[in-house]
Amino acid sequence: MDEFVSTVENQVIGLHPLDTQAAFLNIPYHFFFGNDDKKDDFMPSDVIRLSFYRALKQFPILAGYLRPEGQGQTSVVIDRDDLNMPEYVESLSDTHYDTLRESNFHHSSWPKGLTRVGAITMAAPGPAGRIKLANVHVVRLRDNSGVIIFINIPHYVVDGTGFFSFVELWGKHCLAERTGDRQLAQQTSQLEYCFDRSIIARHLPVERKPLDSETLRVYTGFKPIADWIAWLSPNTRGRLLNKAKFNSGVVSHTFRVSRQALEMLRKEVSEYVADGSDGKLTDRYLLAAILSKLIARAHRNRRDQESVSVAGWLFGAACSVVGAAVGLVKYGARLLCCSSNCDSSVKRDSSKYQSLNLLDDIRHGLGLVDKQYMGNGLIPHNSLCPLDVLETPINPRSLAKAVDMVRSIYENADAALVASFVDLLSSNPKSFTRPMIYMSTQPELLVVTCEMEFKLYASDFGNGPPEWVCTIPSFVANFVGLLPSPPPSTDVIANIILKAPVMKQVLRDEFWRDFTQIVY
């Protein structure tokens, strides 16, 4: 750690409005490594710790502290004399790695206390009151049978790209130290990362695309409650949101979509898509279409079932109230864009439309892919999609209609639309809390994030990549994460988090049961 402190240079990094859109949420992941060869020197704790602080030299933002600047703006202050050092904890567990593997890494088998934080970003109890910008827990399992690394970084400072870039960097430093590979050590130390948020403004195009009227309605006008929430300090805001009990009644399940099943369905659906070709029928488009229909139908079946008795109706009403609170919290991390293929100008009626949020990365559209930008680059594209399309039985013909909608949402969100949205947010930075108020009326929203390109399994600390990588079990309701499968498999992992009555309907869905395999 002293080696890191000696390299720190004082600086202030002003966060971008795109950072504050997701600032309420953490990015918590667990990495599971098994010692199948029973090596005595398996992932030595001292080298893992040393390598962490070497990686921190290239990510000094993780040792800074959040400073509100007023009007919804926040900075990260890196002060050599007042560092907010990451939480780094090591522990031993009586749990054996075989127990985890036998349960397919289900959270019920995890060592107690493994996960250090929840979904909402806030400081740990105590007088300091500072939000840690990194939390690490390294757990060595019984008989040196394996190691679990838990790491969390708040969305304030990075998105998934930045998160997994840091974990990969950490692993490279560890690998170089353990193997004595000086060339790898030098190459790793010379890797540079960009934390300068002004890079976004420098890469915005001249062209602008008009935003839809609903987006303007959400982000403009007089909204005193939203402005009050934006006025709060990051920690106070986090504690307030945490008290909303956003994960009450939430159930999480993880499914595997085999490559064979996906390719077979792609061929069938391609016969009905608008352009008659499967060239644009990507995994992301097809899976987002499937999930939007699957969960829309689950909500409908849940409503139908609850209407058969007074008790069922009362339970459904209670779930709707809690679901609205979840929507309020969740959409604090979501932007609003629209699709020309979904009617976003109509009056919002949850009985006719699904509020569909598809996360996308601005790095591709703005030419930032090769700039190593580590700040938040995710923008959710929000659209109202008609339930008369989504609630129909799932088959190749009906999926083709959903694919056309999903594809138009992504393709409509070009650099010009991103630029218009960034302009809107930048003109009123405190508007980042307004989607929370909007989403309080959308208890059946669906957020889909595609993380299949993230380097979940790129971290090698000297004994190979992790066998399994996953987030916390109760993250946020109405959320689907599409993740890569552990190599060499090219299957897709779908992590679905819903309210229990809705998840019950998903598990009953005949198409989904035939199409996927439940992991846990």
Side-chain angles (χ1 to χ4, degrees):
M1 185 171 67
D2 293 340
E3 180 183 356
F4 161 72
V5 174
S6 66
T7 66
V8 172
E9 296 181 2
N10 293 346
Q11 58 180 305
V12 177
I13 301 174
L15 299 182
H16 193 274
L18 292 181
D19 295 309
T20 54
Q21 292 296 306
F24 312 99
L25 297 176
N26 287 320
I27 309 178
Y29 272 88
H30 310 81
F31 298 78
F32 297 84
F33 300 86
N35 185 11
D36 292 336
D37 296 331
K38 297 180 171 44
K39 294 183 177 180
D40 293 336
D41 64 344
F42 179 77
M43 294 185 66
S45 298
D46 57 340
V47 182
I48 293 176
R49 187 188 324 112
L50 172 70
S51 303
F52 174 80
Y53 290 109
R54 286 182 178 172
L56 199 61
K57 292 180 184 179
Q58 291 153 275
F59 273 72
I61 193 171
L62 301 184
Y65 63 87
L66 299 172
R67 184 176 71 187
E69 305 289 4
Q71 300 299 313
Q73 297 177 328
T74 304
S75 296
V76 175
V77 179
I78 305 170
D79 184 346
R80 183 174 178 175
D81 297 323
D82 188 20
L83 291 172
N84 180 30
M85 292 298 293
E87 177 190 49
Y88 193 100
V89 180
E90 297 172 337
S91 67
L92 300 174
S93 172
D94 289 335
T95 302
H96 197 282
Y97 192 83
D98 288 347
T99 302
L100 301 172
R101 182 178 281 157
E102 289 167 2
S103 71
N104 286 330
F105 303 98
H106 188 269
H107 60 85
S108 62
S109 67
W110 295 356
K112 185 178 180 180
L114 168 63
T115 305
R116 300 292 297 180
V117 300
I120 299 297
T121 300
M122 60 182 184
R130 278 188 176 176
I131 294 172
K132 293 292 186 181
L133 300 188
N135 307 82
V136 174
H137 188 190
V138 180
V139 180
R140 187 163 302 276
L141 301 171
R142 181 163 60 87
D143 299 331
N144 198 29
S145 57
V147 167
I148 310 172
I149 297 179
F150 168 79
I151 179 169
N152 168 71
I153 303 177
H155 252 301
Y156 271 105
V157 290
V158 298
D159 61 4
T161 296
F163 178 92
F164 289 107
S165 294
F166 177 77
V167 179
E168 182 184 14
L169 175 70
W170 181 9
K172 285 182 177 180
H173 277 294
C174 190
L175 178 62
E177 178 68 20
R178 294 185 62 192
T179 59
D181 190 332
R182 294 184 178 181
Q183 183 177 5
L184 176 60
Q186 182 179 13
Q187 292 174 346
T188 302
S189 298
Q190 292 175 345
L191 292 173
E192 295 183 356
Y193 301 91
C194 176
F195 301 96
D196 181 5
R197 271 52 179 179
S198 66
I199 194 174
I200 294 178
R202 297 197 300 271
H203 283 76
L204 291 178
V206 176
E207 298 79 10
R208 296 293 190 269
K209 179 181 288 187
L211 296 168
D212 69 292
S213 59
E214 188 65 16
T215 296
L216 295 174
R217 185 184 72 83
V218 171
Y219 281 89
T220 59
F222 181 62
K223 296 181 174 60
I225 296 178
D227 291 348
W228 175 74
I229 296 175
W231 172 80
L232 299 173
S233 70
N235 191 39
T236 301
R237 185 165 50 242
R239 292 191 178 282
L240 177 67
L241 297 178
N242 189 59
K243 289 181 179 179
K245 303 295 182 183
F246 69 97
N247 60 352
S248 175
V250 164
V251 174
S252 171
H253 281 293
T254 299
F255 304 86
R256 179 183 295 273
V257 181
S258 73
R259 176 55 51 183
Q260 181 181 9
L262 196 58
E263 294 305 326
M264 289 179 59
L265 184 62
R266 191 195 319 274
K267 290 182 179 179
E268 295 174 349
V269 174
S270 65
E271 298 179 9
Y272 300 98
V273 295
D275 60 4
S277 168
D278 66 351
K280 291 187 176 181
L281 190 52
T282 64
D283 289 353
R284 178 173 63 167
Y285 294 172
L286 182 56
L287 289 169
I290 293 170
L291 289 160
S292 64
K293 287 181 64 64
L294 172 72
I295 296 175
R297 287 171 55 82
H299 278 293
R300 185 201 63 183
N301 293 338
R302 185 263 305 169
R303 291 192 301 269
D304 290 347
Q305 185 181 52
E306 290 172 355
S307 66
V308 300
S309 67
V310 174
W313 182 88
L314 290 174
F315 182 72
C319 286
S320 297
V321 172
V322 177
V326 174
L328 183 147
V329 173
K330 175 60 185 173
Y331 208 72
R334 306 299 175 217
L335 301 173
L336 210 61
C337 292
C338 79
S339 161
S340 58
N341 199 41
C342 290
D343 190 354
S344 59
S345 63
V346 298
K347 182 179 180 180
R348 294 188 178 273
D349 183 347
S350 60
S351 66
K352 296 181 180 179
Y353 298 92
Q354 178 192 72
S355 181
L356 179 63
N357 296 265
L358 303 176
L359 295 178
D360 202 10
D361 193 337
I362 67 170
R363 291 175 178 84
H364 298 281
L366 298 185
L368 295 174
V369 174
D370 61 343
K371 307 301 181 184
Q372 293 296 302
Y373 179 60
M374 297 292 104
N376 279 277
L378 289 179
I379 291 185
H381 309 307
N382 179 52
S383 295
L384 290 183
C385 297
L387 291 178
D388 58 4
V389 172
L390 298 180
E391 290 182 350
T392 57
I394 303 177
N395 55 53
R397 186 185 295 273
S398 68
L399 277 174
K401 294 182 179 180
V403 165
D404 287 339
M405 287 197 302
V406 167
R407 187 170 59 185
S408 68
I409 293 172
Y410 282 119
E411 293 180 351
N412 182 60
D414 56 12
L417 187 65
V418 170
S420 296
F421 203 88
V422 169
D423 289 347
L424 177 65
L425 295 179
S426 300
S427 67
N428 184 15
K430 66 177 181 292
S431 66
F432 71 94
T433 55
R434 297 186 176 197
M436 298 168 55
I437 305 303
Y438 157 76
M439 285 313 301
S440 66
T441 63
Q442 299 293 322
E444 295 185 5
L445 82 155
L446 175 63
V447 178
V448 179
T449 175
C450 181
E451 303 175 14
M452 291 183 289
E453 296 182 0
F454 288 168
K455 298 180 178 181
L456 270 73
Y457 296 92
S459 55
D460 182 353
F461 290 78
N463 292 95
E467 182 177 352
W468 186 250
V469 179
C470 63
T471 187
I472 59 179
S474 297
F475 190 57
V476 289
N478 304 324
F479 180 86
V480 176
L482 298 175
L483 307 168
S485 181
S489 172
T490 58
D491 296 346
V492 178
I493 303 298
N495 185 36
I496 302 179
I497 309 174
L498 297 167
K499 288 294 183 178
V502 183
M503 180 65 80
K504 184 176 181 180
Q505 300 303 322
V506 167
L507 296 175
R508 289 177 173 176
D509 187 275
E510 183 176 353
F511 170 86
W512 188 247
R513 292 172 64 179
D514 291 340
F515 184 62
T516 67
Q517 175 187 1
I518 189 167
V519 179
Y520 52 72

